[in-house]
Amino acid sequence: MSIITDNKVLVNISSGIKSKNKVTLGLLAALAAENEGHQVTLFLEGNGVNILNCKTAGEIVGKGTGDLYEHLENLKNSNVTIYVSEMSAKSRGYDNTLLHGYKAEFAMPNVLIEESIKADSVLCY
């Protein structure tokens, strides 16, 4: 465990599933930060909303950054706060079913700004 704990970390993922390493690294970082005792918020926007649609192990695997499906399953059992851009999701044809199984809610851009201001660290992928 890190000496410095209880910091607020925002992980913003705007990359899509074609960027396997970025999206898997983003989730890996979010989960690692939570395991170190930090308060983590994940904001998915742009093509990043598509990652919640991964339903099969081995479908999207980064090089050295893990399996997207496994990271998503771990995310379901974490305390990470998840916001999904409502505008990005709806423009890509998603509805509330995208959020099923996750402790997630749709959010507008102002939430991304608010969470950025509150965070001690912001990581973007």
Side-chain angles (χ1 to χ4, degrees):
M1 177 149 303
S2 173
I3 299 171
I4 303 170
T5 59
D6 203 28
N7 282 328
K8 293 181 181 175
V9 177
L10 171 64
V11 178
N12 178 26
I13 299 177
S14 61
S15 297
I17 55 177
K18 289 183 180 180
S19 299
K20 297 175 186 180
N21 291 332
K22 283 185 179 182
V23 298
T24 53
L25 181 57
L27 291 183
L28 184 63
L31 292 165
E34 191 211 20
N35 286 338
E36 290 291 321
H38 304 293
Q39 183 181 347
V40 180
T41 300
L42 175 64
F43 198 100
L44 304 175
E45 47 103 0
N47 287 328
V49 302
N50 293 318
I51 68 174
L52 294 182
N53 205 29
C54 178
K55 306 291 185 214
T56 309
E59 180 181 348
I60 299 165
V61 180
K63 292 182 180 177
T65 53
D67 187 315
L68 179 60
Y69 178 80
E70 290 177 13
H71 291 330
L72 291 171
E73 288 299 303
N74 289 329
L75 195 61
K76 290 178 182 178
N77 299 313
S78 73
N79 291 317
V80 173
T81 301
I82 306 168
Y83 294 109
V84 179
S85 168
E86 185 171 15
M87 294 167 60
S88 296
K90 298 221 182 225
S91 70
R92 286 161 177 78
Y94 295 116
D95 60 18
N96 286 339
T97 59
L98 181 68
L99 308 180
H100 287 187
Y102 297 97
K103 299 170 199 147
E105 63 184 79
F106 284 128
M108 298 303 280
N110 64 304
V111 174
L112 176 58
I113 300 303
E114 291 169 8
E115 293 299 321
S116 297
I117 292 168
K118 290 191 293 188
D120 295 302
S121 298
V122 178
L123 305 173
C124 299
Y125 297 92

